[in-house]
Amino acid sequence: MIAEMQIRNYSPRTISSYVSSLRSLSLFYNLSPDLLSLNQFKDYLSERVQVDKISNATINQAIGAWRILQCDILRRQWEDFKVKRPRREKKIPQVLSPQQVLSLLSSISNVKHYALVSLAYATGMRRNEVLQLCIKDIDSARNMIIVNRGKGNKQRQIPINNSLIKTLREYYKQYRPLKFLFEGYRVGLSYSATSFCRILQRACKKAKINKRVTPHTLRHSFATHMLERGLNLKQLQLILGHNAMKTTSIYLHVADMSSIKMPDLLQPNESCDETEPK
């Protein structure tokens, strides 16, 4: 199964998650997953939902692994083993105001930590994309970051401004990382996700921000603030690396559109010939 997913260019993280999902299913019945029926799989999911309170994301992950097993490995018809995915939860993302972000950054005195949080906010990159970013992925001549390990292993480009480049240069001169832009205590290994979250927790406490702020909160804040600054939805979709515009459009629900000048549709358009109504 691992080889099948590698051929299909699944990310290492997805492969690990799918294998872990099938391992849990197998341990639940103490049987190899290829010997289990559709009803057994549904009963397993039902038990996990009721007892373990697993999220929709975990359910979808289990269904994805189940489908690969049945269709790609065992060559069975999906209609015979199909499980409907749960309804997507429609949650409005929590964001920080621009003033809160600036206050958060002002509370960080460590050069490395400041550069890390600045990069995450100013680009809207996912947590793992930030942590897996290599030095060679930054094209300062073009003011561009190349994300080679995005979700689904899709490559994309993110424009960056001069102030962020200046911040990253100051950090690089002081720390001189070898491979990953942000490395942990061991040279050549990327910075840990846990440490990233702790930086934000400490900064929030110091800045007196009474919200649970995660790296993904910075991504949500970036997207919302970009819309408020006038970036169009299609451009934002490309920067964030979303497959569907529907995913990006959720930020319309939280963006403050009060600064946008709306055309007055009740007044005649000056570019059109004005004619008297009959």
Side-chain angles (χ1 to χ4, degrees):
M1 183 170 175
I2 293 176
E4 177 69 28
M5 289 189 285
Q6 288 173 336
I7 291 171
R8 294 171 63 173
N9 200 29
Y10 280 45
S11 70
R13 186 181 179 188
T14 300
I15 293 173
S16 176
S17 297
Y18 278 17
V19 170
S20 176
S21 179
L22 288 180
R23 185 183 297 115
S24 297
L25 173 63
S26 179
L27 290 173
F28 185 80
Y29 286 106
N30 198 25
L31 286 172
S32 176
D34 60 300
L35 299 176
L36 300 175
S37 67
L38 174 60
N39 286 335
Q40 285 176 307
F41 180 62
K42 287 183 176 180
D43 289 343
Y44 163 75
L45 290 180
S46 178
E47 177 77 10
R48 294 290 310 279
V49 169
Q50 294 180 43
V51 177
D52 300 328
K53 310 297 182 184
I54 61 174
S55 65
N56 283 355
T58 303
I59 297 171
N60 279 320
Q61 188 180 88
I63 294 173
W66 176 255
R67 179 166 185 166
I68 289 178
L69 172 68
Q70 300 299 334
C71 299
D72 299 309
I73 306 302
L74 302 176
R75 303 298 178 186
R76 294 169 176 169
Q77 293 297 317
W78 178 237
E79 290 301 320
D80 298 331
F81 292 88
K82 186 175 182 179
V83 180
K84 289 186 178 180
R85 296 180 181 273
R87 291 182 178 180
R88 177 171 291 185
E89 299 171 345
K90 295 182 179 179
K91 290 184 179 179
I92 295 178
Q94 177 176 272
V95 301
L96 298 174
S97 68
Q99 293 74 23
Q100 285 177 318
V101 174
L102 292 178
S103 177
L104 184 77
L105 289 170
S106 297
S107 69
I108 302 173
S109 56
N110 181 283
V111 173
K112 182 177 183 177
H113 298 171
Y114 181 86
L116 176 65
V117 176
S118 296
L119 176 67
Y121 169 64
T123 61
M125 293 166 66
R126 299 177 179 92
R127 181 193 65 188
N128 283 354
E129 291 173 347
V130 172
L131 298 179
Q132 293 296 312
L133 191 70
C134 295
I135 299 167
K136 64 180 179 61
D137 296 329
I138 301 176
D139 187 347
S140 56
R142 296 174 55 236
N143 281 36
M144 200 74 67
I145 285 179
I146 313 299
V147 182
N148 290 303
R149 286 158 295 279
K151 192 173 182 180
N153 277 335
K154 296 183 180 73
Q155 186 185 75
R156 71 182 190 279
Q157 298 184 75
I158 300 177
I160 53 177
N161 55 47
N162 290 328
S163 60
L164 179 59
I165 290 177
K166 181 181 178 182
T167 296
L168 295 179
R169 278 178 177 161
E170 289 174 353
Y171 152 71
Y172 179 80
K173 288 176 183 177
Q174 184 170 333
Y175 283 84
R176 298 287 179 179
L178 295 181
K179 180 183 177 182
F180 296 103
L181 182 61
F182 297 101
E183 296 181 336
Y185 290 111
R186 296 179 62 183
V187 177
L189 294 181
S190 64
Y191 204 67
S192 76
T194 302
S195 297
F196 190 178
C197 292
R198 285 174 180 166
I199 290 170
L200 291 175
Q201 290 170 5
R202 289 195 296 266
C204 281
K205 187 175 182 180
K206 192 173 181 180
K208 297 181 180 180
I209 297 174
N210 298 317
K211 290 183 179 180
R212 181 178 178 271
V213 177
T214 68
H216 220 67
T217 307
L218 298 178
R219 177 173 166 86
H220 290 325
S221 301
F222 162 85
T224 304
H225 299 164
M226 279 294 171
L227 283 177
E228 292 173 347
R229 292 285 191 97
L231 192 74
N232 71 56
L233 209 57
K234 183 60 181 178
Q235 291 171 324
L236 182 60
Q237 179 192 359
L238 294 173
I239 291 173
L240 292 175
H242 288 158
N243 289 327
M245 180 73 77
K246 184 179 179 181
T247 307
T248 314
S249 64
I250 191 173
Y251 296 109
L252 290 172
H253 296 288
V254 290
D256 179 8
M257 299 300 181
S258 61
S259 61
I260 296 178
K261 187 178 180 181
M262 291 290 289
D264 189 346
L265 298 181
L266 299 179
Q267 294 296 322
N269 190 339
E270 294 180 358
S271 62
C272 299
D273 293 331
E274 295 184 12
T275 57
E276 285 290 325
K278 295 182 180 180

